[in-house]
Amino acid sequence: MIPYGRQDIRQQDLDAVIEVLKSDFITQGPVVPQFEDALAEKSGAAHAVAMNSATSALHVAVVALGLGQGDLMWTTPITFVASANCGRYVGADVDFVDIDPDTFNMCPRALATKLAQAEAAGRLPKVIVPVHMCGQSAAMCEIAELVRPYGIRIVEDASHAVGGRYRDQPVGSCQYSDITIFSFHPVKIITTAEGGMALTNDAELAARMELLRSHGITRDPTRMTQDSDGPWYYQQVELGWNYRMTEIQAALGLSQQLRLADYVEARNALANRYDRLLADLPLDLPGRLEATRSAFHLYVIRLHDASRRREVFETLRANGIGVNLHYIPVHLQPYYRDLGFAEGDFPAAEDYYSRAISIPLFAQLSEVEQDEVVARILEALQ
Ligand SMILES: *Cc1c(COP(=O)(O)O)cnc(C)c1O
């Protein structure tokens, strides 16, 4: 089976992990800050806060931005459930903005319409979470222009987009957002097995997220509410969690990120090759946003004929092609249906879902394997 995604672990990664295992610190040591510095530097953000997953990072990000009970958060329906769930963790109501059918990302026109309605109804969101679906940045400039006049805060879910670029800036620079989130799950661009990171240019937000990832505890006297009792002293100043990344994970990530540019280059070359090889088939291929370089976490094809999707998907799986589907629209998950969402709420997302298939794409996919994927797709479509 050719999988849809696969991590690339090399000898230097193993060496880095073993070195940490033999050292004095396997958690809360020097490597996590080194990994944070490396990614802050690569993405052009001033601060980076590593966590044990992107899901944790999303949670901490919305708490740091003050999202809470009764507030409203918007995201896109075509994403992993974690992009929406972070709002629910803090008791906020979650709603969705439909996608642009060409890029699969939050649609600025749909956002403009929804904002006008929300303003009229006196119920604007406090936080919006655009997602860089498949690794291609959402139209952040347009989105920021639309929401900033209302004081709405922006968290970019860039779980797919580590190493991507948007308008001559690396994704993660937070030029159009308050916080950007990366994931290092093994199917993503670089991995720490489990892991995530929050990037920001706001020192206060960074300090708050550092506090929240570790129980709300500080050893910094300037953050304490009273004088220290002695050198052992620490204070819990708010309610946080244990969302820390281990040194073992950070060592893997620090080693992996050295190859980030190569990975993104390889993924783009393969995606361009798919564009050529699949051009004449009854498929819609991924649209490209101007002045944007996708990290190409995923390559999604959409069948012209939705009625054949299930059969084509099953045929490909049966023939050794590890296709997948990203994503079932979040609003159609039973948990969200129970909150009142239903079929028909987000037509572009639902049309996408009815026709989409993610085909294999990862940095080490060979051209021979890719030709095999294309041959099997041709066969399945006949
Ligand atoms: C993978 C993913 C997440 C969650 O990442 P974890 O690191 O597994 O918690 C969140 N959002 C999106 C869009 C993802 O693809």
Side-chain angles (χ1 to χ4, degrees):
M1 181 79 84
I2 303 173
Y4 84 88
R6 182 200 280 152
Q7 70 274 22
D8 171 46
I9 305 293
R10 306 225 183 137
Q11 187 60 47
Q12 57 264 44
D13 300 332
L14 303 178
D15 294 344
V17 168
I18 288 167
E19 196 181 316
V20 159
L21 283 168
K22 290 179 173 166
S23 76
D24 289 341
F25 298 100
I26 57 173
T27 191
Q28 294 178 282
V31 186
V32 166
Q34 285 170 29
F35 181 43
E36 290 171 337
D37 289 349
L39 280 202
E41 158 113 38
K42 276 211 154 64
S43 54
H47 309 277
V49 184
M51 279 174 254
N52 58 1
S53 71
T55 303
S56 302
L58 282 161
H59 183 189
V60 159
V62 298
V63 174
L65 290 173
L67 189 72
Q69 195 74 37
D71 289 333
L72 185 56
M73 188 195 97
W74 289 356
T75 186
T76 157
I78 297 299
T79 184
F80 186 54
V81 292
S83 316
N85 288 347
C86 58
R88 299 297 301 153
Y89 294 156
V90 300
D93 293 325
V94 170
D95 200 354
F96 303 90
V97 180
D98 209 351
I99 61 165
D100 174 330
D102 201 37
T103 62
F104 329 145
N105 282 328
M106 182 182 284
C107 173
R109 279 180 322 271
L111 176 61
T113 306
K114 200 173 175 92
L115 279 169
Q117 289 164 352
E119 188 180 25
R123 181 113 170 97
L124 284 159
K126 188 164 192 174
V127 173
I128 188 167
V129 184
V131 177
H132 304 328
M133 181 63 187
C134 300
Q136 175 166 251
S137 176
M140 290 310 302
C141 183
E142 288 84 349
I143 290 171
E145 236 163 62
L146 284 167
V147 307
R148 277 189 172 150
Y150 297 105
I152 298 166
R153 312 297 294 270
I154 306 174
V155 177
E156 291 175 67
D157 184 346
S159 292
H160 297 186
V162 187
R165 295 183 70 81
Y166 176 70
R167 297 198 176 205
D168 295 324
Q169 295 269 350
V171 168
S173 71
C174 299
Q175 193 182 351
Y176 301 101
S177 64
D178 296 284
I179 299 171
T180 300
I181 305 297
F182 290 157
S183 172
F184 310 120
H185 183 277
V187 298
K188 309 286 163 69
I189 310 292
I190 57 170
T191 191
T192 60
E194 297 283 358
M197 197 174 278
L199 296 105
T200 183
N201 292 319
D202 182 325
E204 195 47 44
L205 277 178
R208 183 98 194 278
M209 291 193 288
E210 270 175 38
L211 206 66
L212 291 167
R213 78 168 160 189
S214 196
H215 310 281
I217 283 174
T218 183
R219 291 178 184 277
D220 175 359
T222 67
R223 299 205 159 259
M224 293 182 185
T225 58
Q226 63 179 56
D227 289 342
S228 169
D229 292 350
W232 62 86
Y233 195 64
Y234 61 85
Q235 267 191 358
Q236 184 192 344
V237 293
E238 64 177 311
L239 186 63
W241 296 269
N242 181 352
Y243 283 168
R244 293 187 304 260
M245 176 180 278
T246 68
E247 291 283 287
I248 306 166
Q249 292 168 303
L252 179 55
L254 188 61
S255 178
Q256 288 256 314
Q257 60 84 30
L258 295 171
R259 303 193 297 275
L260 178 58
D262 297 340
Y263 287 152
V264 170
E265 183 66 38
R267 285 173 175 274
N268 271 273
L270 288 162
N272 291 338
R273 199 160 176 270
Y274 269 141
D275 284 351
R276 288 197 302 277
L277 296 172
L278 299 172
D280 299 325
L281 299 179
L283 300 170
D284 290 327
L285 303 180
R288 308 292 183 90
L289 191 69
E290 201 187 319
T292 302
R293 181 171 168 83
S294 177
F296 267 109
H297 165 51
L298 298 171
Y299 193 95
V300 174
I301 58 172
R302 285 158 297 160
L303 273 59
H304 287 170
D305 182 359
S307 72
R308 293 202 60 203
R309 200 271 308 277
R310 189 191 178 117
E311 165 218 332
V312 169
F313 191 99
E314 285 174 345
T315 303
L316 287 168
R317 277 259 177 107
N319 289 331
I321 308 302
V323 289
N324 217 309
L325 213 154
H326 303 91
Y327 292 94
I328 302 159
V330 178
H331 70 285
L332 297 181
Q333 294 290 353
Y335 174 82
Y336 284 93
R337 284 181 191 261
D338 286 349
L339 294 171
F341 294 100
E343 243 119 36
D345 285 350
F346 303 101
E350 292 168 30
D351 174 69
Y352 166 91
Y353 173 55
S354 73
R355 304 194 288 120
I357 300 177
S358 307
I359 63 175
L361 181 61
F362 48 93
Q364 302 304 308
L365 182 72
S366 70
E367 290 194 355
V368 173
E369 287 174 311
Q370 191 180 29
D371 289 341
E372 169 75 10
V373 173
V374 170
R376 295 296 170 206
I377 290 171
L378 246 153
E379 200 176 84
L381 285 172
Q382 254 146 35

